[in-house]
Amino acid sequence: MRLADDPVAFDVVDNIAWVRFNRPEKRNCMNPSLNRRMMEVLEELEYRDDVGVLVLSGEGTAWSAGMDLKEYFRESEEKGLGAVRKSQQEAYGWWRRLRWYQKPTIAMVNGWCFGGGYGPLFSCDLAFAADEAQFALSEINWGILPGGGATKVVADLLSMRDAMYHALTGELIDGKKAAEWKLVNESVPLAELRTLVKQVADVLLSKNPVALKATKDALRRVAEMTYDSAEDYLVRAQEAANYFDNEGRKEGIHQFIDEKTYKPGLGAYDKTRQAS
């Protein structure tokens, strides 16, 4: 879908939903209209049978340059606290939806990623950037702290020293530095970015979808648990996954033990087949 006046564009090709911020003239800054539309798009795609992986990118030269200072901040504040809270809920709502999305998600950072853009960046399960991309916590440059979860993002993903430097200086870093700091998984030249993301998406598409959802949720949950609590949670998470897809698990074991058609350490079982 590529409607010029739609703040979110998307196409579904070969079981991959390519979703894009679509305000290139505004460097894909997130305004209330974009936030509301993104929630609708995520809801539309989440349980479609022809979607196995979602990729989030941006039209034009930016991924997202953060929140729209005029529409998200000034105009909302002029309408009072209720409007401010509504704008926050709409933004944080789709970021939260993305964090716990049914399908694996990949951030494909093709250009500028500033401030509020760190919210959806963190919400995606994996992230790959162009070497040419530019990242910054720009809030310090216009007099506020990095809110909307951005401070939490860098505290979780970066070392304390790198996080402090990044937040206090507001300086730009490129995709290579973002990968070095582990803000993203990997950085490649822009011309190679879509190919890399497609390759990773295809790997994910080969996996058991129930196991993928259980695994991505487990990693986010156990990050804040003690070891004993995590151990207990994971036992129950596996039992829940077995309930929803016990035949898939049995088929994987069958192909490995009985047929010897694959090795779990080297690849995935053929999930298109039923247990026999």
Side-chain angles (χ1 to χ4, degrees):
M1 181 184 296
R2 288 191 181 90
L3 299 179
D5 58 350
D6 193 330
V8 179
F10 70 90
D11 301 286
V12 177
V13 182
D14 296 331
N15 298 116
I16 303 171
W18 300 89
V19 179
R20 300 176 300 283
F21 298 107
N22 191 31
R23 301 184 74 213
E25 75 287 352
K26 297 291 186 179
R27 300 295 189 269
N28 295 324
C29 283
M30 291 173 279
N31 65 349
S33 295
L34 183 148
N35 292 328
R36 287 191 291 270
R37 179 61 179 143
M38 189 65 81
M39 181 65 91
E40 295 173 351
V41 169
L42 293 179
E43 183 170 352
E44 176 180 343
L45 295 172
E46 188 163 19
Y47 291 98
R48 276 179 47 167
D49 292 338
D50 61 339
V51 174
V53 175
L54 184 145
V55 176
L56 181 61
S57 190
E59 290 284 3
T61 60
W63 194 72
S64 175
M67 310 313 289
D68 188 310
L69 300 190
K70 178 175 181 290
E71 295 187 46
Y72 183 83
F73 287 101
R74 176 181 285 176
E75 293 182 2
S76 293
E77 289 167 2
E78 288 175 350
K79 297 174 184 176
L81 182 60
V84 171
R85 289 289 182 259
K86 181 179 179 181
S87 291
Q88 291 169 338
Q89 290 167 0
E90 289 170 343
Y92 303 166
W94 78 261
W95 301 351
R96 187 179 304 112
R97 180 75 173 266
L98 193 60
R99 281 200 302 278
W100 303 105
Y101 209 59
Q102 184 68 25
K103 313 293 174 64
T105 57
I106 303 174
M108 185 172 78
V109 185
N110 54 301
W112 291 1
C113 178
F114 294 168
Y118 283 34
L121 175 68
F122 180 74
S123 294
C124 289
D125 303 317
L126 301 173
F128 299 91
D131 293 342
E132 299 91 329
Q134 298 286 302
F135 297 78
L137 287 184
S138 54
E139 286 87 345
I140 197 69
N141 293 329
W142 55 283
I144 70 168
L145 65 83
T151 297
K152 174 63 172 171
V153 171
V154 296
D156 277 3
L157 298 183
L158 277 57
S159 72
M160 178 56 73
R161 295 302 184 197
D162 289 336
M164 280 291 189
Y165 188 88
H166 198 47
L168 294 179
T169 67
E171 290 181 6
L172 289 170
I173 62 170
D174 62 15
K176 292 180 180 179
K177 177 63 75 173
E180 178 186 330
W181 281 358
K182 304 313 294 179
L183 191 58
V184 299
N185 292 93
E186 187 177 348
S187 172
V188 296
L190 179 60
E192 302 172 16
L193 181 59
R194 186 181 174 95
T195 298
L196 172 62
V197 170
K198 175 68 163 59
Q199 290 172 346
V200 175
D202 285 341
V203 170
L204 296 176
L205 288 171
S206 74
K207 310 300 184 185
N208 181 302
V210 173
L212 282 173
K213 172 60 173 168
T215 300
K216 55 182 266 174
D217 286 359
L219 281 167
R220 290 191 185 274
R221 295 293 187 195
V222 303
E224 297 181 354
M225 294 181 185
T226 64
Y227 189 92
D228 286 343
S229 294
E231 188 178 76
D232 185 66
Y233 165 84
L234 291 169
V235 167
R236 282 146 183 77
Q238 181 62 64
E239 290 171 350
N242 292 349
Y243 174 82
F244 284 107
D245 187 40
N246 202 28
E247 293 307 309
R249 181 179 68 93
K250 289 179 178 177
E251 179 63 23
I253 294 173
H254 168 67
Q255 290 180 27
F256 173 57
I257 294 178
D258 302 321
E259 296 183 346
K260 297 180 172 54
T261 53
Y262 85 108
K263 296 180 179 179
L266 302 177
Y269 79 94
D270 182 356
K271 65 182 177 65
T272 65
R273 294 170 50 189
Q274 295 297 319
S276 56

